[in-house]
């Protein structure tokens, strides 16, 4: 029997947004493990929520419209408020067609089959009563407390209030015992043979008085701060290890290089080639969760040269061992990487046989991304031979060129006057391409006939996804992307019928490309959510399928928006990151994944599995707070390592000053998940940076 570990569930007392602990975050289930050495309770996930109540669709939302509400798939609809026009096109508008929720008083228990059950009092977003607490409580299940299935509300035959619900399996009577307090504080109870079925059954009969639902130990939680503690359960060593691997810090525990051998009878050029190959040997870094990563090594050039000379001239003797010293390569990128450059994209590109790195972003000077710099709106592009040369610290800002400027015309002859939002670089149909959203001067009135406050100046609501592509010469060689004249005229991307992408509003933005099983897709944001459609790379300004909604913000942490999608394929899965919450210090990074290489229909929301909590959120990185992290993009560094390029909010003493670009490497954890916030000394412990390669002469 594995030794037991103690696990506490709790909510936090809300504090402030700049501590990443407002009501949206605090009022969720948090988890802490008790140290077996010190007895202290240690928070998981940096004391951030792990289980959040899902938003509930309105009654008028059809089954077809709520397909992308995957967290709420089993929840009954509630509320008779009017629904939006999105429902007519089989979609939902967040916080209009859905009602965001929070929770209080979480309670953990074991189901009869050994899985975990979670019950809690559901509330309106922010913690106010939503009426459900009069007669019901929220129920969810989880195999490992790393993902959750929300089953809905368990109803009880009472209207006297259901506070601090608790559920436990009683094997002696083969049923679940449900306990709670009513509004007067009186203990009540009920029973269920199958607690999972109770979430979709008639109200359970109230059995009468019972003992207290549960007691909270009278202890302090110094590492957790002010909290409202729930209950404590025992978990196994394996379960604790899995939680630590997912929600703890993963750090470097060693570095090694496999041994090599070198024949003593090599001579001249053949010998030098063999030694040259040794110079490309990489180090294997090991980590606390059992994962590994390969990194390039800068080997001692003098030692390699001496070995090559000895091998070429026959001075190596069978049985001897040679050693080459090296240092594991680790580029630490400047923080910030680029000031007031939001929605950043770094692209590793082959420019007619030469490696070139490109950086493009939204100009977010002083937080004005619609019409910055007193009307001098532009699309900034940087190019360099290495990623670090793109940074402000290396002079990248001074070398920027304006790929587009205010007043440039699109293919319809319309003057693009603002925004130039979220430009992304991709190769589409063999041509370097930029996907972006320009906006235009607003009309005197909005579509509903009301006066337009942005009339006659850049209006973000006029924006739509566009594409511009680099020209090529007669031999198919790419022209220089740093010359504005070498790019064609931006074209709007249209649906299969030649109409706008967004059937509900006007605006569409944040477009990216996904390739899978020979198919090409665009994914982008509109109606506050992520949409997808197929397209032909030979005609990239026209979709080949109708847009479909695939990711909806359903939790308090991503609340009103899911935007900025970007995908990478790794070990048989497509990993789609997106940004949640509103632009600013609350921004977070969410994750959805789908099978790769299996010809799955990526336009079907059921194909995508969405993480219940953010993959990346505000927190301390290398000793400094980073708030509002989001709108990231996967890319590759010079050694082919996966990197993550994103922005965070400039925030100083309550002043928001825009968003700054950042670059860091990605680590793949042992459980297959990407880690986006590994700090420099966690990626490579300085004690393991210096390494030695042994070469046996045979």
């Amino acid at each position: 029997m594995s030794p037991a570990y103690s696990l506490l569930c709790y909510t936090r007392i809300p504090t402030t947004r700049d501590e990443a602990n407002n009501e949206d975050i605090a009022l969720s289930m948090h988890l802490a493990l008790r140290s077996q050495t010190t007895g202290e309770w240690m928070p998981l996930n940096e004391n951030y929520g792990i289980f959040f109540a899902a938003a509930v669709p309105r009654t008028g939302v059809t089954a077809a419209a709520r397909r992308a509400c995957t967290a709420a798939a089993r929840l009954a609809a509630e509320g008779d408020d009017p629904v939006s026009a999105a429902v007519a096109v089989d979609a939902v508008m967040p916080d209009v067609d859905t009602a965001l929720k929070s929770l209080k008083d979480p309670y953990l228990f074991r189901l009869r089959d050994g899985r975990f059950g979670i019950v809690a009092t559901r509330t309106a977003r922010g913690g106010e009563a939503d009426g459900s607490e009069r007669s019901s409580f929220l129920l969810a299940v989880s195999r490992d407390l790393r993902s959750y299935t929300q089953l809905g509300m368990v109803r009880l035959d009472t209207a006297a209030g259901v506070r601090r619900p608790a559920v436990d399996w009683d094997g002696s009577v083969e049923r679940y015992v449900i306990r709670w307090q009513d509004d007067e504080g009186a203990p009540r109870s009920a029973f269920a043979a199958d607690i999972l079925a109770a979430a979709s059954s008639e109200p359970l009969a109230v059995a009468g008085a019972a003992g207290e639902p549960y007691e909270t130990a009278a202890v302090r939680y110094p590492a957790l701060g002010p909290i409202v503690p729930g209950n404590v359960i025992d978990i196994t060593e394996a379960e604790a290890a899995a939680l630590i691997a997912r929600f703890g810090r993963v750090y470097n525990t060693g570095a090694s290089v496999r041994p090599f051998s070198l024949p003593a009878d090599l001579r001249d050029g053949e010998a030098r080639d063999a030694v040259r190959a040794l110079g490309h040997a990489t180090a294997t870094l090991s980590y606390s969760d059992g994962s590994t990563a390969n990194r390039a090594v800068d080997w001692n050039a003098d030692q390699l040269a001496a070995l090559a000379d000895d091998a070429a001239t026959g001075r190596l003797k069978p049985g001897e061992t040679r050693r080459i010293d090296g240092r594991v390569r680790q580029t630490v990128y400047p923080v910030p990487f680029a000031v007031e450059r939001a929605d950043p994209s770094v692209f590793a590109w082959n420019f007619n046989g030469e490696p070139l790195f490109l950086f493009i972003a939204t100009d977010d000077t002083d937080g004005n991304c619609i019409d910055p710099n007193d009307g001098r709106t532009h699309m900034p592009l940087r190019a360099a031979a290495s990623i670090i040369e793109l940074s402000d610290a290396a002079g990248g800002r001074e070398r920027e060129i304006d790929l587009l400027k205010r007043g440039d015309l699109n293919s319809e002859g319309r003057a693009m006057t603002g925004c130039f939002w979220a430009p992304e670089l991709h190769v589409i149909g063999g041509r370097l391409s930029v996907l972006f959203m320009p906006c235009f001067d607003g009309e005197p009135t909005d579509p509903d006939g009301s006066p337009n406050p942005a009339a006659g100046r850049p209006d973000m609501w006029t924006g739509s996804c566009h594409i511009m592509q680099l020209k090529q010469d007669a031999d198919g060689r790419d022209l220089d992307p740093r010359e504005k004249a070498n790019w064609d005229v931006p074209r709007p991307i249209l649906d299969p019928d030649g109409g706008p992408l967004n059937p509900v509003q006007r605006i569409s933005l944040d477009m990216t490309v996904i390739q899978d099983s020979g198919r090409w897709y665009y994914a982008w944001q509109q109606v506050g959510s992520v949409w997808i459609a197929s397209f032909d790379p030979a005609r990239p300004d026209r979709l080949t399928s109708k847009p479909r909604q695939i990711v909806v913000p359903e939790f308090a942490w991503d609340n009103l928006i899911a935007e900025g999608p970007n995908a990478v394929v790794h070990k048989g899965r497509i990993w789609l990151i997106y940004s949640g919450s509103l632009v600013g210090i609350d921004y977070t990074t969410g994750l959805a994944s789908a099978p790769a290489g299996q010809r799955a229909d990526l336009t079907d929301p059921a194909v995508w599995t969405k993480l219940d909590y953010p993959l990346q959120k505000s927190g301390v990185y290398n000793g400094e707070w980073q708030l509002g992290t989001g709108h990231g993009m996967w890319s590759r560094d010079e050694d082919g390592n996966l990197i993550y390029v994103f922005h965070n909010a400039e925030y100083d003493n309550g002043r928001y000053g825009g968003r700054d670009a950042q670059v860091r490497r990605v680590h793949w954890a042992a459980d297959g998940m990407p880690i986006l916030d590994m700090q420099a000394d966690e990626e490579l412990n300085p004690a393991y940076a210096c390494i030695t390669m042994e070469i046996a002469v045979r």
Side-chain angles (χ1 to χ4, degrees), residues 24-45:
D24 284 343
I25 309 308
L27 299 179
S28 61
M29 186 180 76
H30 296 56
L31 296 175
L33 276 171
R34 190 168 193 172
S35 169
Q36 293 194 320
T37 55
T38 67
E40 294 291 328
W41 288 100
M42 304 307 297
L44 295 170
N45 203 28

Side-chain angles (χ1 to χ4, degrees), residues 515-532:
Q515 296 181 59
D516 180 63
S517 302
R519 301 170 181 170
W520 290 68
Y521 301 87
Y522 284 135
W524 69 97
Q525 192 264 95
Q526 61 190 25
V527 197
S529 48
V530 177
W531 294 59
I532 195 169

Side-chain angles (χ1 to χ4, degrees), residues 99-144:
L100 290 166
K101 301 294 180 179
S102 296
L103 64 83
K104 294 180 178 179
D105 299 325
Y107 183 90
L108 277 172
F109 66 100
R110 290 281 188 179
L111 294 168
R112 183 180 184 180
D113 62 12
R115 291 181 296 163
F116 295 96
I118 305 97
V119 296
T121 300
R122 195 191 72 188
T123 72
R125 179 188 180 189
E128 294 299 318
D130 72 349
S132 66
E133 77 291 341
R134 304 296 305 151
S135 60
S136 62
F137 58 86
L138 176 65
L139 173 66
V141 297
S142 176
R143 180 178 56 84
D144 54 12

Side-chain angles (χ1 to χ4, degrees), residues 14 23 64 78 117 119 141 159 199 233 244 250 267 270 298 358 380 398 413 522 542 625 660:
E23 290 85 351
E78 298 178 14
V119 296
V141 297
I233 65 170
I244 292 169
V250 175
R267 294 292 183 275
E270 188 178 13
D298 294 316
L358 303 170
E398 288 72 27
Y522 284 135
R542 183 68 65 90
W625 264 93
D660 299 338

Side-chain angles (χ1 to χ4, degrees), residues 389-698:
E389 290 177 79
L390 298 169
S391 68
D392 286 356
R397 192 181 189 93
E398 288 72 27
R399 294 191 298 272
E400 273 184 356
I401 66 148
D402 291 336
L403 206 56
L404 290 172
K405 291 183 179 180
R406 178 174 184 162
D408 287 341
L409 304 181
N410 74 352
S411 62
E412 301 169 314
R414 302 174 68 197
M416 301 176 290
T417 58
C419 299
F420 299 126
W421 281 359
E424 274 196 15
L425 291 153
H426 296 272
V427 173
I428 300 174
R431 296 177 62 187
L432 185 65
S433 307
V434 179
L435 301 171
F436 70 103
M437 187 205 85
C439 60
F440 309 87
D441 282 353
E443 298 294 333
T445 60
D446 283 327
D448 63 3
S450 61
N452 182 6
R457 57 189 177 86
D459 179 0
M460 59 175 272
W461 293 99
T462 66
S464 67
C465 297
H466 278 57
I467 183 171
M468 58 188 296
Q469 296 186 285
L470 187 66
K471 299 174 184 176
Q472 297 174 326
D473 65 19
D475 296 323
R477 292 172 57 84
D478 293 303
L479 301 183
D480 193 332
R482 291 160 287 198
E483 296 292 334
K484 180 178 178 179
N486 290 340
W487 293 84
D488 65 13
V489 176
R491 294 160 280 161
I493 297 173
L494 305 175
D495 79 358
D497 301 322
L501 300 182
N502 190 338
V504 181
Q505 302 159 315
R506 290 172 291 178
I507 189 171
S508 58
L509 63 153
D510 295 353
M511 184 166 274
T512 192
V513 173
I514 304 174
Q515 296 181 59
D516 180 63
S517 302
R519 301 170 181 170
W520 290 68
Y521 301 87
Y522 284 135
W524 69 97
Q525 192 264 95
Q526 61 190 25
V527 197
S529 48
V530 177
W531 294 59
I532 195 169
S534 60
F535 75 98
D536 182 349
R539 192 186 183 190
D541 56 358
R542 183 68 65 90
L543 303 182
T544 55
S545 70
K546 279 290 186 183
R548 297 180 72 181
Q549 191 177 47
I550 56 167
V551 177
V552 172
E554 295 187 80
F555 305 107
W557 63 263
D558 61 359
N559 58 72
L560 298 178
I561 276 184
E563 62 183 2
N566 193 263
V568 70
V569 175
H570 179 76
K571 290 189 175 180
R573 289 200 71 78
I574 301 167
W575 301 90
L576 180 78
I577 48 176
Y578 68 93
S579 296
S581 192
L582 294 177
V583 173
I585 67 172
D586 301 319
Y587 224 32
T588 52
T589 302
L591 177 72
S593 66
Q598 299 180 27
R599 299 191 65 80
D601 180 6
L602 300 185
T603 69
D604 181 358
V607 165
W608 296 92
T609 301
K610 187 167 60 179
L611 201 63
D612 304 88
Y613 39 83
L615 180 66
Q616 182 197 33
K617 71 276 185 191
S618 298
V620 176
Y621 180 74
N622 286 348
E624 299 288 337
W625 264 93
Q626 283 191 346
L627 294 169
T629 56
H631 201 117
M633 179 178 179
W634 310 102
S635 189
R636 299 279 175 183
D637 69 9
E638 292 84 345
D639 295 319
N641 300 310
L642 191 66
I643 59 172
Y644 174 58
V645 187
F646 66 102
H647 69 234
N648 69 286
E650 279 187 29
Y651 193 72
D652 185 22
N653 294 319
R655 180 187 179 274
Y656 172 68
R659 297 161 290 168
D660 299 338
Q662 311 289 356
V663 179
R664 62 177 66 143
R665 266 169 299 279
V666 177
H667 180 75
W668 292 97
D671 66 0
M673 291 284 288
I675 298 176
L676 305 184
D677 63 349
M678 184 170 276
Q679 302 182 63
D681 61 351
E682 293 173 331
E683 180 194 16
L684 177 61
N685 186 323
Y688 306 124
C690 294
I691 199 165
T692 299
M693 171 173 50
E694 293 190 350
I695 302 103
V697 181
R698 55 178 173 80

Side-chain angles (χ1 to χ4, degrees), residues 33 44 116 143-146 235-248 250 289 613 669 671:
L33 276 171
L44 295 170
F116 295 96
R143 180 178 56 84
D144 54 12
L145 298 178
R146 296 181 295 176
I235 61 174
T236 66
E237 183 177 19
E239 290 169 334
L243 289 173
I244 292 169
R246 174 67 61 87
F247 299 116
V250 175
D289 67 337
Y613 39 83
D671 66 0

